[in-house]
Each structure stands twice: as structure tokens, then as C-alpha cells.
Amino acid sequence: MISATRTWICGVLLALAGGGTAFAQGDLPTLGSALVKKYCYDCHGATFNGDAFLDVMNRDALLETDHSYVVQGNLDNSVMWQRIADNEMPPEDHPQPTPDERLIIKDWILAGAPMPEREVREFVQWPVILQTIHDDLQRTQPEYRQYIRYFTMTHLYNNAHNVTEMEMRLYRAALAKSLNSVCWEPVLVLPQPLDEHQTLFRVDLRDLGWTTQQWQTILTHYPYGCGFANVPDPAVANLYRDIEQYSETPLCFIRADWFIARCMRPPVYHELLGLPKTAFELEQMLGAAVIGDFQRDRVARAGFVESGVSAGNRVVDRHRSRFGYYWKSYDFKKNTERGNIMRFPLGPDYDGHPYHQLTFEEDGGEMIFSLPNGLQGYYLVDGQGNRIDEGPIEVVRDLKETSGAPVIVNGLSCMACHRHGMINFSDTLRNGAGALGDARRKLMAIVPPPEEMQRLVNADSARFVGAIEQVTGPFLQIGDDINKPITDFPEPVQAIARRFEQRLSLEDIACEVLVEDPNFVKFTIQANPMLKTNYGLGPLAVDEKITRANWESMDLGHSAPQYLMQVLDLGTPVHVY
């Protein structure tokens, strides 16, 4: 069978090389879309880095006339083919399709980017989720039930038209990475799937080192909370009452995608990690002796005038910490006198500093520290060392717009940027700074040669990547990807966070409330003035999209999904204060 398959593929490629078309209509969608996924999807799909957030696996987006990525029957006007033909895509530093593969992609674009049929999935509704949670809690020892919590992806699984199986794998990996990124325990924790399709996951708060109060903190920000004690179906109502009693909380389950996109950023990110208000307190917490290391020449420093995120110069220091490493950057606005690190390389200042005349004055900074489990924690400060939620745009910016804007948001933006741990850099401080005499000796003592600094970067990154493989590999390195290096996969938290911010269609909304027929939701909105006007769902009634911010807004006390669930008799809003 394998030999026959190879012979058939070779025949196809030979026919293409000769200028003929060897495809039945069913062959081209499979081969063409597989190649586009192989060479384009990581940037134009999974992580949405490309033009207009292009998803190359979304045929409607490819054929959308405003951008003309694909114009059926017309290669000259198909932007996607022209960029391939001009060797602009894939970029030089990415894997390149072979000549035969380019011919397949060419025929696929010419045919209008046909896609294979999406997987048919059985739609799962609320009673199934509640029954699964109920049964799991019943199997759990009574004294442990209060610590068991659940994360759902059922609404994503139901959305088979818009969420591929590869994307489901990214959601699972992102959940695992997110949970372990707000955990001080030394052992990595894998959320346990409870169903065969891996759409409902279980964790024990004690494994994460969380208290029940930390879970309550999450719930205070949760806009999708609904209870089922008052629904018309008595069996469902009884299931929910049992779950509430077993778990000793009004809501022991939340959506995984919301947790990834909203809890990996302040304020929840800070609260779950228990991060203090100042860098000084953080350093005490981590056992990082910043001033002491400088005084004893135990810090490893580098400085450079160009950075991927910093508007001005940047200095980075590596310190040892209680859990491994503590990297601290000093960032500067443009054109500030004491921000010229080549003139002032020996900051920051402190009482009794022996080189006061050569100390810089920073305008902000970023801290990256190893967690006990090998993953990383992140922290942003202003010029006075006070914790901030977002980096000032005039000092640092996120070119990938992970949070939906160029502002760097602590946690979320840092995870996307440091997907493989520490980022390589080239020091210009050791040979470029203007320090003389004893100050020069000090500079040489704290700024190691490039090969020594690279060794430290490599070691810290290797530890991080090893932990990432342990926690995301079980969800990503499966099937055909079992031998694929973990560094070749998209960074899952960024991928999911960016997808989460996309505008929502009627089909998306129906899946989010677990209603199989989108028209039922549409007719409900059309008949309810509150949903149309007060909650801003009117565009859905005329087949337009709404923003995630609109959908989650709590301005009226309830969010739109909570009120819609109530109108549909599917549930009632749950709020935790």
C-alpha cells in the first residue's frame, strides 16, 4: 500500500512537471491545502502574523475580494501566487517548497484554493459537560472534591467549520503552558482530559499550588459564568446542584480559551503568581541580589543600542536566583542623556555607588525569571521600579500585537516574544562603552566576553525549552508530528490569544453558548430588543460580526453571553465578587 501510494504521488508530480493536470477534484484540495499548511500556516494561520491576520486555511479569507490573495482562474491577480513566484514567500529563512510542490500550489491557487471537507463532529451540549463533571466528582474522594476544577473547550470542538484539529491541539497546549506559567510548584502539571475528544480537562488546585481563593479571584473576572439550577430540565438542574455541592463553589468550570487570553495578563496574572508591587520586593522573593552581584562582580551584563522591543538602548543583566536565573533589563526612552549607555554604562545608581558619574537612569524595565518548574515568569516596571501592567509605548512595543495592540502587556506579550526562552543578542557595551581606568576594569568584570554570555543564554533557554516540551509536547507532538521539534510549533499562548480577539460570527456565537442551530440564536436576537440594542448583538441578526470586547462587556451587570443564555433558558448568570 505504501509503495502504491508513492507511485501514485510520483505520477502526479511528473504529470505536473510536464504541464498537465493529474488531479481529480478530490486530490487537489488535499495535496494543495496540505502544502500551504506546511509552508504558510505557522505565520499565516496559527499565529496570524501576516497580512490582515490572514488564515491560509480559511478559503473565504483567501477569496475575499478586498485583498485578492486568491483569484480563481487568474494567477496574475492572485497576490498569494505572485509572492510565491517572486520568491518573497516563504521567507528565505523558512523551509522552501520543492519545484514539484510549487506546481501543486500553483494549480491549487488556480483552482480557487479548494479545501478538503472539514471533520464532521458530533455537537456536544451542556448536559453532556455537566454529566461528565458530575461523574468525575462522584469518583473523587469527598474530602478532595473542593480542590478539583475544570476547563472546557467544548464550544471550540463544536465549531468544526472554523476550528481545525490542529488548532484544537494548540488550545490544549496553550492551556497546559498557561497553567504552569502561573505555578510555583517544582513539578510540571498536565491537565487531564476527561473525554475521548479532549475537550474537557481536570486539574487539582493543590498540584498547581493554588488556593480556592485564587480560583475565586479568577471567577471575579469571568464573563461567561452561568449556573443551571433553574433551567427547565430537572435532570440538568439536579446535576448542577450536585456539582455545586461537591465542589463547594458556584462555578468549578471555566472556558480554557478565556483563561489563556485573559488570565495570562494583569490583573489575574499578577494575582495568581502573587507578584509584589516593586522590583525590589520581587528580587527579595526570588533571592536575587542585584546590588550585591554588581558590587561583587557576579552579574553578567550586556548592552546594545538596537532591540526588538525597546525604543532606545537596552541593558540586560543576568543574576542567579533561588530557582535558577533572573534576567533584568533596563530600558530607555530615545534621546535621554543618562540613557546613553555608551557614556553611562555602570548604572543603576544606589547609595554609595563608586562610579556615580557613570550611572545610567532607566525609564523602565522587564524582568524574566525561572519558575521552579522550568518555565518563566515576567514582570514590568517603570523608571522607579514599580510594577506596571503595560510597558509605555514610547519605551517598548510589541510588534506582533499579541494583546491586540502594539502595547506590551505583562505575561501575555512576554510569552509570545520569549517563545524559546531567552532571545539572542549582540553586546556592544564591552568594546563600545567610554569608561577608563578603574571604571574600565569594573566594566570588563561585569560584561563577559560574547561566548560566555552566549553560554548563559543557551543554558537558560535549554532549561525553558525542555520544560515547554514536557508540558506541550503531549498535545503537539502526536500523529504525523511526533518527531517534529517542539521549537518548530507555533507558540500556543500567542496563537490562541490572537485568535480569541478575532471578530465573532453568528456561528461562533451559537457555538459559544452551545446551540447547534445558529438560526435559532439569530431569531432569538431579532425578537429581543435588549439583545439587539442594549447588549449590542444586533449585527449578528443581519449576519455581521461583533467584537470580543462587545461580547464580554459587563457594563449592564451581565455580559451578553450570560444574558443570551438566560433568554434561551439554558442557564442563569453567576457572578463571584
Side-chain angles (χ1 to χ4, degrees):
M1 176 63 72
I2 293 176
S3 177
T5 301
R6 287 177 177 165
T7 300
W8 174 81
I9 291 175
C10 289
V12 169
L13 296 177
L14 286 171
L16 281 171
T21 299
F23 295 109
Q25 186 59 33
D27 303 326
L28 187 56
T30 301
L31 285 175
S33 62
L35 290 174
V36 169
K37 182 175 181 181
K38 177 180 178 181
Y39 292 109
C40 310
Y41 185 68
D42 279 359
C43 291
H44 301 285
T47 55
F48 300 98
N49 280 336
D51 298 339
F53 287 50
L54 172 64
D55 180 356
V56 293
M57 302 308 292
N58 182 336
R59 187 168 186 261
D60 291 340
L62 289 171
L63 296 175
E64 203 268 317
T65 55
D66 287 348
H67 296 95
S68 301
Y69 296 115
V70 170
V71 179
Q72 188 168 353
N74 190 329
L75 289 172
D76 290 339
N77 289 333
S78 295
V79 173
M80 185 176 181
W81 175 250
Q82 290 307 313
R83 299 195 73 182
I84 293 172
D86 293 342
N87 294 317
E88 295 178 15
M89 290 290 164
E92 290 183 3
D93 58 346
H94 285 60
Q96 300 294 313
T98 66
D100 289 334
E101 288 175 331
R102 285 167 67 95
L103 287 171
I104 295 175
I105 295 171
K106 179 180 179 180
D107 268 29
W108 181 76
I109 292 173
L110 190 64
M115 295 286 182
E117 291 293 323
R118 284 288 179 102
E119 176 188 2
V120 176
R121 303 173 187 161
E122 183 179 357
F123 200 92
V124 180
Q125 296 181 319
W126 288 110
V128 174
I129 296 175
L130 295 174
Q131 186 70 61
T132 305
I133 293 173
H134 177 273
D135 293 349
D136 183 66
L137 285 171
Q138 272 200 329
R139 290 191 295 267
T140 302
Q141 289 182 247
E143 64 268 29
Y144 300 153
R145 291 171 180 167
Q146 62 178 310
Y147 304 111
I148 307 304
R149 297 294 183 268
Y150 303 90
F151 294 84
T152 68
M153 300 182 188
T154 312
H155 62 292
L156 301 165
Y157 176 81
N158 285 343
N159 199 351
H161 179 71
N162 294 318
V163 182
T164 67
E165 176 52 35
M166 179 59 207
E167 287 163 339
M168 289 297 299
R169 287 162 59 189
L170 284 172
Y171 279 105
R172 297 170 191 131
L175 174 63
K177 180 179 178 180
S178 296
L179 287 169
N180 286 278
S181 293
V182 284
C183 171
W184 288 102
E185 294 299 299
V187 178
L188 291 163
V189 178
L190 284 181
Q192 298 301 307
L194 294 182
D195 61 315
E196 62 173 321
H197 300 298
Q198 297 190 7
T199 67
L200 180 62
F201 288 85
R202 174 194 206 261
V203 298
D204 188 320
L205 296 181
R206 295 168 300 174
D207 292 339
L208 294 168
W210 292 4
T211 64
T212 54
Q213 184 55 49
Q214 283 170 292
W215 181 260
Q216 297 299 95
T217 296
I218 293 172
L219 295 185
T220 61
H221 300 275
Y222 188 53
Y224 298 97
C226 280
F228 301 87
N230 299 312
V231 298
D233 187 337
V236 172
N238 288 333
L239 280 174
Y240 178 76
R241 291 190 189 102
D242 283 350
I243 291 170
E244 194 174 22
Q245 179 181 350
Y246 291 156
S247 63
E248 299 181 23
T249 177
L251 206 62
C252 66
F253 54 93
I254 62 173
R255 284 175 39 166
D257 56 341
W258 175 86
F259 176 78
I260 296 161
R262 296 287 182 256
C263 296
M264 293 303 102
R265 59 190 299 165
V268 182
Y269 177 76
H270 291 160
E271 292 167 351
L272 290 178
L273 275 176
L275 297 180
K277 294 290 187 179
T278 67
F280 177 74
E281 293 171 292
L282 175 68
E283 287 152 9
Q284 287 186 312
M285 177 178 169
L286 297 174
V290 171
I291 294 177
D293 285 351
F294 179 88
Q295 292 171 332
R296 295 192 297 272
D297 298 342
R298 292 180 61 183
V299 62
R301 170 168 294 185
F304 34 93
V305 295
E306 290 187 7
S307 165
V309 296
S310 180
N313 301 317
R314 170 170 271 204
V315 168
V316 292
D317 285 355
R318 184 193 185 274
H319 302 268
R320 282 173 279 187
S321 79
R322 186 169 290 120
F323 306 115
Y325 55 82
Y326 175 71
W327 288 86
K328 181 173 186 174
S329 80
Y330 300 92
D331 295 314
F332 309 89
K333 296 178 182 178
K334 289 184 177 179
N335 304 319
T336 57
E337 182 184 4
R338 303 289 291 202
N340 184 340
I341 61 173
M342 297 304 152
R343 291 180 57 200
F344 304 98
L346 294 178
D349 204 0
Y350 58 85
D351 288 342
H353 197 300
Y355 309 101
H356 171 74
Q357 73 280 10
L358 294 177
T359 57
F360 53 68
E361 293 179 6
E362 70 274 19
D363 296 297
E366 174 191 14
M367 291 73 178
I368 301 174
F369 51 92
S370 53
L371 294 169
N373 60 20
L375 294 188
Q376 290 179 338
Y378 307 97
Y379 195 90
L380 298 179
V381 294
D382 61 18
Q384 289 70 51
N386 298 310
R387 191 191 76 196
I388 54 177
D389 293 349
E390 301 175 349
I393 201 72
E394 67 272 19
V395 179
V396 288
R397 63 175 57 236
D398 179 5
L399 299 179
K400 296 181 179 180
E401 299 192 10
T402 305
S403 65
V407 64
I408 287 186
V409 175
N410 192 39
L412 185 63
S413 301
C414 306
M415 290 179 192
C417 190
H418 294 274
R419 55 179 297 191
H420 299 148
M422 302 311 301
I423 298 173
N424 288 328
F425 47 79
S426 296
D427 171 66
T428 54
L429 201 60
R430 184 176 175 87
N431 296 320
L436 301 174
D438 192 52
R440 181 70 182 173
R441 181 211 61 78
K442 182 67 177 180
L443 187 68
M444 291 297 98
I446 66 172
V447 181
E451 60 273 15
E452 173 60 18
M453 182 61 90
Q454 190 63 54
R455 184 190 67 79
L456 293 171
V457 170
N458 291 346
D460 294 347
S461 295
R463 180 186 180 194
F464 174 78
V465 170
I468 286 293
E469 183 163 25
Q470 289 184 58
V471 81
T472 66
F475 304 108
L476 296 177
Q477 294 172 314
I478 59 177
D480 293 341
D481 292 327
I482 193 165
N483 294 318
K484 185 175 180 178
I486 202 68
T487 51
D488 286 354
F489 290 94
E491 196 289 306
V493 173
Q494 177 199 28
I496 296 327
R498 294 193 66 167
R499 185 179 181 92
F500 190 77
E501 298 296 347
Q502 287 187 302
R503 295 172 69 86
L504 301 165
S505 68
L506 179 66
E507 184 178 14
D508 296 327
I509 294 300
C511 288
E512 294 217 353
V513 294
L514 271 59
V515 171
E516 187 168 9
D517 183 3
N519 285 323
F520 182 60
V521 175
K522 183 177 182 178
F523 298 149
T524 301
I525 294 171
Q526 289 173 338
N528 188 301
M530 284 281 289
L531 287 170
K532 279 198 298 187
T533 305
N534 297 53
Y535 287 92
L537 303 189
L540 299 172
V542 291
D543 298 316
E544 295 181 4
K545 295 182 178 182
I546 63 171
T547 65
R548 177 68 66 180
N550 185 130
W551 182 233
E552 290 188 343
S553 172
M554 299 286 286
D555 289 347
L556 297 178
H558 301 326
S559 67
Q562 288 176 316
Y563 186 66
L564 179 58
M565 288 274 287
Q566 183 171 299
V567 171
L568 293 169
D569 268 342
L570 292 176
T572 53
V574 170
H575 297 292
V576 176
Y577 301 100

